[in-house]
Amino acid sequence: MKLTFESNLAYQQEAIQAVVNLFEGQMSEESGCQYSLNENGVLDLIAGIGNRLVLSKEQILANLQKVQQQNNILCSDTLEDMHFSIEMETGTGKTYVYLRTIYELNKKYGFKKFVIVVPSVPIREGVLKNLQITHEHFQTLYDNTPVRFYVYDRNKISQLRGFATGDNIEILVINIDSFAKDENVINKPNDKLSGQEPIKFIQSVQPIVIVDEPQNMESEKRATAISNLNPLCTLRYSATHRNRYNLIYSLNPIKAYDLGLVKQIEVDSVLEENSMNGAFVALESITAAKTKVTAKVFIDVNDKNGVKKKSVTVRVGSDLYALSNEREIYRNGYIVEEIDAANGCITFSNGEILYQGQRKDDLNDEIMKFQIRRTVEEHLRKELKLNKQGIKVLSLFFIDRVANYRSYDAQGNIVDGKFATWFEEIYNELMHKPAYQSLNKYSDKIHNGYFSQDKKGRVKDTSGETQADDDTYNLIMKDKETLLDMNNPLRFIFSHTALREGWDNPNVFQICTLNETKSEIKKRQEIGRGLRLAVNQDGMRCYDRNINRLTVVANESYNDFAKALQNELQEDCGVDFSGRIKPKRNRVSVKYKKGFEADPLFLVIWEKLKAKTTYRVNYDTNTLVEKVSKEIKKMSCISAPAIRSVKTEVVISDKGISAQYKGDKISIYSSDYLIPDVLGYIQNRTELTRSTIMRILVKSERLDDLAVNPQLFMDQVVDKIKRVLQELMIEGIEYHKIGDSAYEMRLFEEQELDIYLNDFTFKVSDSDKTIYDEYVPLDSSVENTFARDCETSDQVKFYFKLPDWFKIPTPIGSYNPDWAVVFEDDKRVYFVVETKDTGTRVVDLDKLHPSERLKICCGEAHFKQLESLKYRVINKVSELAVALKDNRNKRPI
């Protein structure tokens, strides 16, 4: 299969434009420069092509502040360095965004040289994979713009000459460790390059440097190495910035979750209960002081109310029998003989050794075995549901010891570890159940492990930072699309815990962590492997929240897991994720009452609702010209390009060489550049005719600004036209039925819906008045109040929430109205209701977001074409009676 990419996702466009708008006013004709790289007066070695910035720092700062204001980010006061940060949550397409930003910067400003700096081989492989799979997509979007991309290879050092001389988009991907040290090949004179240091070929073109995961490159040495590339600017992309230098866009975990851009997270906790019969010991920590070494351990202790777990401090000679208030199970062999701080372990008199994070528990194996069972059961249930929709389900097991899955006998033959043995026992048992027979298509290769290997090809435990790990990451990256193919039997993946970043797969629906010791992997790293939205067999992303649910099978309580994840998000992002992680036990199925489709009240309103429509837009060109010209006339002053001169004195002292600032000077930049094809530029971006554009410009009386800064003027005019045009299109929109096309009733049953019980969920008491058997899925308190009042109101005879798949097309995205209501007072009326709470007695539409108002306007136009239906925007049921008696809410806008 081949992954497909969407080009019009609003949040990605916002992230791209945040960077592009930093250079507003830069002329594309001035963005390139040619130069010669000389060998100290001997001869010209190269005619290079590089980037050039003609904007002053004052102009960049003004653009930066404008971008930050648009994105509701605290504005920077100064611009000390050309570093800009873009925050995007894991799984939202960060790599796609910065790759497309390259094309946009080239298209709009002519920049050609780009360096992508990565902190590790796994991430490098991920970037390379993305460059390959998005190439065709970007070529289609950008008229086959020539581009060349490659990974830096110290054995092919002469490729840097091509990077410097190429006249197309040149993208170099390089690992930070390849150029951060003086002894790196790239920093030393090279005979293949006539004695030049290879890095000079990068420095000479003043590349735009993109730093992927910059939090891993904050050390002084690495920061200096990036600066040594001589970047025109540095763009920093991450979900977990340590420092947000000049933040210009933020899609944090809260926003990504609330917008449905990542999977929902639920926790299935597997814990022992009432297990106090064995000798439980867990080593929490070891403290080595100058005079003594102590350790903290958890043990079961006798208490007046029974047995409970307690943390106690032990030293050599401590007897757990005494510390447990004489628990008989600790009587023999549980005296501490040695505390080894260097290796992080303690030894007991019975010979047992316990490592930090490890626990001795009679039920530890049983807990992990039950975790596997819960994971496989959840996996199979999702397969039954999602395979019908062409979505393959994957499960990922993290293990801390490879030998638990795969090991070797004395002759070197591969043997199954306990995890593989347990898995096959559980899987085969479940496959014999009638419910799962339809899934029993493959006899083998349904599970496999991705582990690093030694020179003999044997799998082994590693830290995640070795060459062997690099090979493993490379393998799993290349298999990414293969794993998504329904015909590939592999569905259960076992991996060493070193697999933390650089790999994920959109169809991971279960993550299970099987650890004999306490996991040091952050919760955010664990769930990050499965946060991406699922894709189907056509490679299309699925946005259904009922499908996109990541189940984490954890050997800890839901509260502990949620608290740990919340603390990490608070520490990493400064955001509160509370309420967004769900305990699996709170998930329930939304069931429709039996025979609802034959209910006369439902049938009547459904017949009125079900027709599909399409729209066309009408607007008056004279009105457009009038409105846009007024907006352009009100634009702020267009600034001319400028050049800054900075004077610095070189100070030589016994401490070395330093710089002393002496002052700077700004002068207006003037050049004999040609005025571009203004009408053509604006036409390509607005689709208006050249004559209409000309009328707008003349009427605006701002054409003189074209000579001051053509690019800045054109970009601002395009922005004004688009804003006014969208409003006029919505005002003049007309809907028409599409023949006999209609929503099919069978979708109610086919689109199974699971929800998490929360404060908004409405529990039905009178199922005669609705289609639901027990629960109504709701998103807000105003919806909950409306449902409750519908159930108790004598005037409301029938009501139901319109399902997510009931969508009305609009020019600004699909619109899903809230309610269908059968209302009866003096006569029977059929309503479609949008419920909004603006904090006022009746809905104040001016307080809604502009996009909400525009969609409501489209909703009204759509329902005008459907007979005997009234569309209203209200905040409570009592407003329906009012709406019948006057016309004040006849038009929402």
Side-chain angles (χ1 to χ4, degrees), residues 75-330:
C75 290
S76 302
D77 296 325
T78 59
L79 184 64
E80 296 180 2
D81 296 304
M82 292 282 285
H83 285 251
F84 306 99
S85 299
I86 300 90
E87 181 179 48
M88 295 190 71
E89 175 60 355
T90 301
T92 58
K94 173 194 66 178
T95 309
Y96 175 93
V97 164
Y98 70 63
L99 293 181
R100 186 165 176 183
T101 299
I102 289 174
Y103 284 86
E104 282 290 329
L105 290 172
N106 173 262
K107 177 181 177 180
K108 190 163 184 179
Y109 304 118
F111 295 129
K112 295 180 177 179
K113 302 302 168 74
F114 300 87
V115 175
I116 301 174
V117 180
V118 298
S120 64
V121 171
I123 295 177
R124 185 194 73 191
E125 291 303 312
V127 173
L128 182 60
K129 182 70 174 180
N130 272 276
L131 280 163
Q132 293 166 349
I133 64 179
T134 59
H135 180 70
E136 182 180 340
H137 169 73
F138 288 140
Q139 289 296 291
T140 302
L141 288 179
Y142 294 94
D143 299 325
N144 294 312
T145 299
V147 62
R148 187 168 66 149
F149 55 84
Y150 35 84
V151 171
Y152 166 76
D153 185 343
R154 65 181 181 179
N155 297 316
K156 299 178 182 177
I157 205 70
S158 57
Q159 68 184 180
L160 295 183
R161 185 192 298 272
F163 175 77
T165 58
D167 194 23
N168 301 315
I169 299 178
E170 298 280 336
I171 304 173
L172 176 68
V173 184
I174 187 168
N175 193 313
I176 183 69
D177 291 328
S178 297
F179 66 97
K181 302 172 185 175
D182 292 339
E183 59 268 26
N184 289 135
V185 170
I186 199 170
N187 293 318
K188 297 163 68 175
N190 194 290
D191 292 340
K192 293 181 181 179
L193 300 175
S194 304
Q196 293 282 1
E197 294 94 335
I199 199 168
K200 286 188 176 179
F201 289 88
I202 299 176
Q203 295 168 337
S204 62
V205 300
Q206 205 176 4
I208 291 176
V209 172
I210 294 169
V211 183
D212 195 328
E213 306 294 357
Q215 70 277 8
N216 297 321
M217 293 175 268
E218 295 281 18
S219 68
E220 184 177 352
K221 179 178 286 188
R222 289 185 164 191
T224 300
I226 293 171
S227 178
N228 192 43
L229 295 176
N230 189 33
L232 180 143
C233 70
T234 303
L235 306 175
R236 307 161 64 88
Y237 289 81
S238 178
T240 54
H241 287 281
R242 189 179 301 173
N243 296 301
R244 295 174 174 82
Y245 302 98
N246 297 316
L247 184 66
I248 59 174
Y249 180 76
S250 177
L251 181 64
N252 62 35
I254 304 301
K255 188 175 179 181
Y257 185 92
D258 290 344
L259 289 175
L261 304 179
V262 294
K263 288 193 183 90
Q264 298 180 79
I265 307 161
E266 67 177 13
V267 180
D268 190 357
S269 300
V270 178
L271 299 167
E272 75 268 34
E273 291 183 357
N274 303 318
S275 171
M276 302 293 181
N277 300 309
F280 173 84
V281 188
L283 175 55
E284 184 180 8
S285 63
I286 295 176
T287 303
K290 290 183 179 179
T291 57
K292 61 181 179 180
V293 178
T294 59
K296 275 192 174 183
V297 296
F298 274 100
I299 60 173
D300 290 337
V301 300
N302 287 324
D303 185 69
K304 61 181 179 180
N305 295 319
V307 179
K308 68 176 185 179
K309 287 181 170 53
K310 181 181 179 181
S311 175
V312 296
T313 300
V314 299
R315 53 184 55 85
V316 172
S318 293
D319 188 348
L320 297 192
Y321 173 69
L323 292 172
S324 66
N325 292 333
E326 300 182 348
R327 287 268 294 152
E328 192 64 30
I329 198 71
Y330 297 115

Side-chain angles (χ1 to χ4, degrees), residues 311-552:
S311 175
V312 296
T313 300
V314 299
R315 53 184 55 85
V316 172
S318 293
D319 188 348
L320 297 192
Y321 173 69
L323 292 172
S324 66
N325 292 333
E326 300 182 348
R327 287 268 294 152
E328 192 64 30
I329 198 71
Y330 297 115
R331 178 184 289 275
N332 298 315
Y334 282 96
I335 298 172
V336 178
E337 284 196 344
E338 181 183 5
I339 302 177
D340 186 347
N343 294 306
C345 62
I346 60 176
T347 304
F348 294 101
S349 54
N350 60 11
E352 291 185 10
I353 299 175
L354 198 65
Y355 287 87
Q356 189 166 327
Q358 191 176 12
R359 69 182 188 180
K360 181 189 182 307
D361 183 352
D362 288 347
L363 291 182
N364 199 33
D365 274 6
E366 291 303 315
I367 290 171
M368 290 189 290
K369 189 173 183 178
F370 194 65
Q371 281 182 270
I372 294 175
R373 175 176 291 277
R374 295 294 294 161
T375 304
V376 176
E377 287 175 339
E378 183 69 19
H379 177 109
L380 295 177
R381 279 195 290 267
K382 285 181 182 172
E383 276 199 339
L384 285 174
K385 176 181 178 180
L386 301 183
N387 281 6
K388 294 181 292 186
Q389 301 181 47
I391 296 173
K392 183 176 179 180
V393 178
L394 297 173
S395 292
L396 177 60
F397 295 89
F398 283 122
I399 66 176
D400 59 351
R401 293 181 63 237
V402 173
N404 282 337
Y405 179 78
R406 182 173 294 157
S407 58
Y408 302 88
D409 60 20
Q411 289 73 42
N413 301 311
I414 294 176
V415 294
D416 284 343
K418 60 184 180 182
F419 291 162
T421 301
W422 295 343
F423 173 85
E424 293 195 357
E425 289 175 357
I426 292 166
Y427 182 81
N428 290 331
E429 174 196 332
L430 292 172
M431 277 295 102
H432 282 88
K433 291 188 175 183
Y436 303 125
Q437 280 296 302
S438 62
L439 302 176
N440 196 9
K441 301 175 182 178
Y442 308 102
S443 58
D444 57 4
K445 297 183 179 178
I446 59 167
H447 67 103
N448 203 355
Y450 284 88
F451 308 116
S452 301
Q453 301 179 358
D454 60 20
K455 293 181 180 179
K456 295 181 179 179
R458 294 188 176 190
V459 295
K460 60 179 181 177
D461 297 328
T462 53
S463 65
E465 301 295 332
T466 67
Q467 180 60 48
D469 288 296
D470 296 345
D471 298 335
T472 308
Y473 286 112
N474 192 24
L475 175 63
I476 202 165
M477 281 303 303
K478 288 181 177 178
D479 278 351
K480 187 170 187 175
E481 286 136 303
T482 304
L483 288 173
L484 289 168
D485 191 336
M486 295 279 275
N487 295 318
N488 185 317
L490 180 58
R491 290 125 78 203
F492 299 90
I493 300 166
F494 287 79
S495 178
H496 192 271
T497 49
L499 183 60
R500 293 193 298 266
E501 59 184 21
W503 178 84
D504 53 25
N505 192 293
N507 286 21
V508 169
F509 286 91
Q510 288 74 230
I511 290 179
C512 177
T513 304
L514 302 168
N515 291 325
E516 292 189 316
T517 59
K518 184 179 178 181
S519 174
E520 296 301 322
I521 297 180
K522 280 192 169 187
K523 304 298 179 194
R524 200 170 177 203
Q525 288 176 316
E526 280 185 6
I527 66 172
R529 304 315 102 213
L531 280 182
R532 289 191 186 276
L533 297 181
V535 300
N536 61 22
Q537 291 302 285
D538 295 323
M540 298 294 294
R541 189 179 287 112
C542 170
Y543 289 96
D544 189 340
R545 290 198 182 206
N546 193 44
I547 289 174
N548 286 299
R549 181 178 293 112
L550 174 66
T551 303
V552 180

Side-chain angles (χ1 to χ4, degrees), residues 660-677:
Q660 188 174 64
Y661 172 74
K662 302 296 289 184
D664 58 12
K665 182 179 181 180
I666 300 174
S667 61
I668 300 300
Y669 177 78
S670 61
S671 177
D672 295 330
Y673 48 70
L674 296 173
I675 298 296
D677 179 7

Side-chain angles (χ1 to χ4, degrees), residues 683-736:
Q683 183 181 36
N684 287 337
R685 287 156 179 78
T686 63
E687 298 184 357
L688 296 181
T689 64
R690 295 171 77 94
S691 60
T692 300
I693 296 167
M694 192 66 208
R695 287 175 59 194
I696 290 170
L697 295 178
V698 171
K699 195 170 182 63
S700 74
E701 300 177 356
R702 292 291 297 267
L703 275 170
D704 288 345
D705 288 330
L706 193 59
V708 178
N709 192 327
Q711 191 68 49
L712 180 59
F713 176 74
M714 292 188 299
D715 290 338
Q716 292 197 9
V717 167
V718 168
D719 181 65
K720 300 299 182 187
I721 290 175
K722 285 183 175 179
R723 289 174 184 270
V724 173
L725 188 59
Q726 186 180 76
E727 292 176 4
L728 289 178
M729 286 170 64
I730 299 294
E731 286 179 11
I733 198 165
E734 292 181 0
Y735 280 83
H736 302 276

Side-chain angles (χ1 to χ4, degrees), residues 753-768:
L753 181 63
D754 289 343
I755 62 169
Y756 296 98
L757 298 179
N758 56 33
D759 294 338
F760 304 141
T761 306
F762 180 66
K763 194 172 190 306
V764 175
S765 298
D766 185 359
S767 61
D768 289 339

